[in-house]
Amino acid sequence: MKPNLLLLAAALTVATHARAEPETQAIVDALFKAGGNQPNVRGSGAKGVCVKGSFTPSAEAQGLSKAPHFTSASDKPLPMTARFSMGGSNPKVSDKAKPVTRGFSMRVTHPTGDMVFVFISAPVFGTKTPQQLLEFATVRAPGPDGKPDAEKIKAFGAANPETTRQAAWLTARPVPASYAGVDYWGVHAYTLTDAKGTATVAKLKTVATAGQLGLTDDEAKAKPDAFYADELKERLAQGPATFDLVAIRGEPGDPTHDPTVLWPEENRKTTRLGTVAIDALEPAATCDAATFDPVTDLPDGVAGPADDPMFAIRSPAYAISLSRRAN
C-alpha cells in the first residue's frame, strides 16, 4: 500500500474509533509529551531498528489455529518484516535503561493477508485501562527542569499498584545485552481456533534461541547509550537471530481483560507455533511507512481479546501516531 493510502487508512481508523475511544487523542498526546514532544517519531517505540526475516510454522501449530500462516508448508518460510525498539516516545532513550521495555513487532506476510503481533520484554503491560494509561503518561510529563515530578509518579503508583508490576519485573533483571537475547511477550490473551472450530485461549511469547543475554552493572556502564543497533548488525553478520514463537495455554480463572496480571507460566502447557528468523537490517523507512497493527491485521483463526480495552485501543492510537509523525 502506498504511503498516501496508508495515511488515508490511518485517518479512517481514527474516525471510526473516535466515538468509542474519545480519550485516544489525549493518550497519544500525553505519550508524546512524556518523551519530550520529539518530532517525527512514534508515540511509543520511538527508538528502534527495522529488520527482515522469515517465519516457519511448526507441525503442531495447525493443531491450534487454522490461520494460513500456521498451516503453510513448513519447508516454505513466510517473509516477515519486524522492528526491535525501546519503549517510550523519546528517540534518545538509553539502551541501558533498565525499567524500559524492549519491543518486538512483526508482520508475517501471506498471500491471504498479513499477521501482525506486538511483543514487549515483560510478561505484563503497564496499565489495565485507557484512562489509567492517560493518567500514567500524564504524571510522567517533564516539568520546567526537563524532568518529571518524582513525587507525583510515586503517588500515582501507590494509588494504582498494578501499574508498578512491569517496572518491578524489569528492574529485577539485568539490562538485556542484545535485542536478540531476551524473550518477548504478547501480554494480551489471544483465542486460537483450529479447522474443527475448537478454540484455545493463550498468550503468545517469543523465546530467544540465544538465551537470556544480560549485562552486569559494570558491563552496562561501559556501554554507550546506543549500542543495540551495532550489536545486532554484528550478530546478524554471523547468521540469523532466531526465536521460538510459543503459545502458553490459559487455564480456568486466567483473566483476559487485564494485561497487568501475570499468568504463571510454570507447569503450563505450551505449544511451539514456529520459528522466527531475523536475517538482516532493513531501512527504517520500510517499518515507518505503516503501523504494526495487531488488532486489524490478524487472520481467521487468530483473534485478540474482546474484553481487553488496552488491546482495542492500540489500533486507533497507532493510527494517530502514524498520522502525526508523517505530517
Side-chain angles (χ1 to χ4, degrees):
M1 190 179 290
K2 295 180 179 179
N4 59 333
L5 294 180
L6 287 167
L7 292 178
L8 175 60
L12 290 174
T13 301
V14 172
T16 299
H17 291 271
R19 293 184 180 180
E21 299 290 355
E23 72 270 45
T24 305
Q25 181 69 58
I27 289 172
V28 175
D29 289 344
L31 291 172
F32 274 105
K33 189 173 182 179
N37 276 322
Q38 305 296 321
N40 307 120
V41 299
R42 288 168 167 77
S44 185
K47 182 181 184 180
V49 181
C50 188
V51 295
K52 66 179 179 180
S54 63
F55 174 73
T56 304
S58 69
E60 299 79 21
Q62 60 185 316
L64 281 187
S65 174
K66 62 184 177 182
H69 307 71
F70 293 133
T71 58
S72 297
S74 60
D75 61 342
K76 294 182 180 179
L78 299 173
M80 182 184 69
T81 301
R83 187 173 185 269
F84 293 107
S85 62
M86 293 289 292
S89 64
N90 181 6
K92 297 180 181 178
V93 63
S94 174
D95 291 351
K96 300 184 290 184
K98 184 176 283 192
V100 175
T101 56
R102 279 68 181 163
F104 186 18
S105 303
M106 63 179 71
R107 177 185 301 278
V108 181
T109 303
H110 188 275
T112 62
D114 294 345
M115 180 173 69
V116 172
F117 294 124
V118 175
F119 299 92
I120 59 173
S121 61
V124 294
F125 197 62
T127 57
K128 65 179 180 180
T129 66
Q131 180 61 36
Q132 193 175 60
L133 175 58
L134 174 59
E135 296 168 1
F136 179 92
T138 299
V139 299
R140 283 163 173 74
D145 62 353
K147 300 178 180 179
D149 188 323
E151 290 303 314
K152 286 184 178 180
I153 294 176
K154 183 178 180 180
F156 179 80
N160 301 270
E162 64 275 9
T163 67
T164 66
R165 295 169 185 162
Q166 184 189 90
W169 196 93
L170 293 167
T171 303
R173 288 159 176 78
V175 171
S178 170
Y179 278 136
V182 64
D183 294 344
Y184 298 87
W185 286 261
V187 302
H188 303 291
Y190 286 83
T191 298
L192 306 177
T193 306
D194 66 16
K196 296 179 180 179
T198 302
T200 301
V201 177
K203 287 199 174 183
L204 305 183
K205 177 182 180 180
T206 63
V207 180
T209 303
Q212 306 307 293
L213 307 180
L215 299 173
T216 66
D217 289 344
D218 288 341
E219 288 172 335
K221 289 179 182 179
K223 294 283 187 182
D225 286 323
F227 71 91
Y228 278 151
D230 288 340
E231 193 281 338
L232 188 59
K233 182 178 180 180
E234 294 174 3
R235 180 178 295 272
L236 296 181
Q238 304 302 314
T242 60
F243 299 81
D244 281 336
L245 175 63
V246 301
I248 303 166
R249 302 198 189 193
E251 294 185 354
D254 286 337
T256 59
H257 68 289
D258 185 354
T260 70
V261 176
L262 176 67
W263 283 15
E265 297 180 20
E266 298 81 5
N267 302 317
R268 289 298 178 92
K269 187 173 183 179
T270 63
T271 300
R272 193 176 74 87
L273 299 176
T275 301
V276 173
I278 303 301
D279 302 321
L281 302 183
E282 275 282 280
T286 301
C287 291
D288 291 345
T291 63
F292 289 88
D293 190 332
V295 180
T296 61
D297 291 332
L298 287 178
D300 188 23
V302 181
D307 60 348
D308 182 351
M310 289 310 304
F311 181 77
I313 203 174
R314 285 181 181 272
S315 188
Y318 289 5
I320 292 172
S321 180
L322 172 62
S323 179
R324 174 165 173 161
R325 76 171 184 263
N327 291 300

